[in-house]
Amino acid sequence: MKIKNICCIGAGYVGGPTMAVIAQKCPNLDVTVVDINEKRIAAWNDPDVENIPIYEPGLSEIVKEARGRNLFFSTDVDTAIDKADMIFISVNTPTKTYGIGKGMAADLKWIELCARQIAEVAKNDKIIVEKSTLPVRTAAALKDILDNTGNGVKFQILSNPEFLAEGTAVEDLEKPDRVLIGGDIDTPEGKEAMEALVSIYASWVPKENILTTNVWSSELSKLTANAFLAQRVSSINAMSELCEKTGADVNEVAKAVGMDSRVGPKFLKASVGFGGSCFQKDILNLVYIAKTFGLNEVADYWEQVIIMNDHQKRRFAANIVKTLYNTVSGKKIAILGWAFKKDTNDTRESAAIYVTDYLLNEQAEILVYDPKVKPEQVYADLEYLCTHSNEEIRERVKVVTSAEEACKDAHAIAVLTEWDEFKELDWKEVYENMLKPAFLFDGRRLLNRKVMENIGFEFYTIGN
Ligand code: NAD
Ligand code: UGA
């Protein structure tokens, strides 16, 4: 099957960068990314390419090259569906906030809406690609909806989960460790659909890195990959607390352990806790799936990864209060970094939100600085928790435009995102402009203890 027109429903952190790279690597394909969010599409179409809605190193250059040539952004979902030979679904699949499975299961409302819209609009056969992260066996539900239109249109459903990490999305898309494609391997039509998608990726990914499996393995592999990655972070974070009690240094432990080639060195950085839109939601989803099959031990095993992560965020915040003589009421605390990791403007599930909320409970005055996150996002993140009134949040939390401004006259600083620019700050000057004793809490192990202590800071970090 020859693919000429591709459409992607969902112009978010995955849909946008993924389609931009496909358009760049396959100039013979026409790629249209659609979304119901008009503001987001307008931002993707902004003549100044620096204003695209997602910050990722290298992304604006790719958009500049491909946009208007073979990469298009639109709110006209129906037209894009109608034209497309292959449709990627890359909409959000957050944790359910209501009803059965509340707080655990993935909310598949938006996925189902897409399937119904495709079923309604499609007039010729199409390949549907699950790009969103979905519970295992979702493809069966999609197939059910798509196969019951009664208009004779045939659909092939593929699972093609995305493994990019934010902040390195372009790099990850250009050189993926692997591309995973799940499909109906038992029928010629299924195989043909898989081959069509393989040949798109093969334009730039070596064939041996393109893995084909059955649909269920593909869906489950995505949840498994995120669970394993998050588990490593929770494992090293658990050790960080033990290091603090014993005089061991978590970086030294991580290095010693990671040099064992069976363990490997990556993803062993102790931190204030993992954030991001997916680790927590995907593990909760896994826990929920295990529970629905009655696999309680499996569910409990994975749930512990989340419990440890919540503990890590809480104990970091509690340590600030304890160290500042058990009260932060009315004290100024500078939060350096709001994004869940460096090089992204995404703040979903960022540890900074929870640490700040904890400090607000203790009536602290908060000053936030992040190089890429807009003030409205900071307020929206705190308001979403519904633990403090909007008035109180706006009164107690100020978002400023430089780290120096945030730290001026502060009682304490908490570094919560590992932005490179925080390493380069003139820490001596920061120290001089703070109240004394000047407390510095490094939630990212970004700063050197000796250097900071020599300047005069009371320095606290994770894991030693
Ligand atoms: P996102 O919230 O940034 O983007 C999703 C977009 O889909 C939104 O702009 C929303 O308006 C749009 N949308 C929702 N329903 C729609 C509909 N019916 N029609 C048209 N548009 C619709 O989400 P994201 O971070 O891009 O994640 C998307 C999926 O990819 C999720 O399942 C996530 O788990 C998965 N994933 C995310 C990452 C990541 O790093 N963010 C990485 C791998 C996989
Ligand atoms: C993660 C996975 O790495 C991607 O492969 C996956 O596609 C994606 O989730 C997804 O499904 O959404 P992402 O959340 O964007 O990507 O970023 P990560 O680099 O994995 O970082 C997640 C969180 O863990 C961050 O808060 C980061 O600071 C923290 N982390 C990571 C640590 O605290 N220590 C580490 O050693 C690594």
Side-chain angles (χ1 to χ4, degrees), residues 68-84:
R69 179 190 72 189
N70 67 330
L71 175 66
F72 308 94
F73 294 92
S74 164
T75 51
D76 187 353
V77 182
D78 282 357
T79 304
I81 291 175
D82 183 30
K83 253 179 63 185

Side-chain angles (χ1 to χ4, degrees), residues 12-14 35 40 92-93 110 132-133 162 166 281 348:
Y13 283 87
V14 169
D35 204 295
R40 212 166 206 184
N92 36 323
T93 49
W110 293 277
S132 296
T133 302
E162 185 48 61
E166 291 180 28
K281 116 176 137 59
R348 290 176 287 183

